[in-house]
Amino acid sequence: MDAYKSSGPGGQHRNKRESAVRLKHVPTGVIAHAAEDRSQHKNRASALSRLRTLLALNVRSSVKLDAYSPPPQLLQILPPKSTIRSSEVGPQSGPNNPKFALVLLYSLLLCFLFSVKI
């Protein structure tokens, strides 16, 4: 951890004290710093939070969505109609789908044709 005098506007209040904090994770070399507050303790807490976030982003691995299947423990606690869809269900046709209006018109036309008795 390094403490230093932060630069920028604020005049004598910022230049007097070493309130800015720089944290470095030695194994990975990731650095996070904070100088928003006049308190070194608050700056240390926010720098530590940023360091944790940066480490999590560097460590996490990418997920291939085509081959992903949720763990069975997650499937047990999710409601039956959750947003996790299997590949055999097919594409979702909702208002965000560009073909939604066409599907809606087609389904209304089918409903109208089968409701009229000849």
Side-chain angles (χ1 to χ4, degrees):
M1 182 191 105
D2 294 330
Y4 59 96
K5 294 178 183 177
S6 75
S7 62
Q12 62 185 355
H13 296 295
R14 284 190 94 138
N15 296 334
K16 262 189 214 177
R17 304 283 177 224
E18 293 184 351
S19 59
V21 175
R22 182 183 305 118
L23 295 175
K24 180 177 181 180
H25 186 252
V26 177
T28 58
V30 175
I31 297 174
H33 61 86
E36 294 84 27
D37 208 300
R38 283 168 50 183
S39 167
Q40 191 182 64
H41 298 289
K42 290 181 183 177
N43 284 337
R44 186 182 308 146
S46 62
L48 185 59
S49 174
R50 287 181 190 149
L51 185 65
R52 287 179 181 154
T53 303
L54 289 171
L55 286 174
L57 289 173
N58 286 347
V59 170
R60 76 174 182 188
S61 59
S62 62
V63 175
K64 296 181 181 174
L65 295 178
D66 298 337
Y68 176 75
S69 64
Q73 297 87 358
L74 181 63
L75 290 174
Q76 289 175 355
I77 61 172
L78 286 175
K81 293 185 177 182
S82 67
T83 57
I84 297 177
R85 300 167 59 94
S86 63
S87 60
E88 64 266 2
V89 173
Q92 181 179 4
S93 61
N96 294 334
N97 191 334
K99 298 179 182 177
F100 177 70
L102 184 63
V103 170
L104 184 65
L105 181 64
Y106 184 70
S107 61
L108 288 174
L109 183 61
L110 284 175
C111 289
F112 178 72
L113 288 175
F114 287 114
S115 66
V116 175
K117 296 182 181 183
I118 301 175

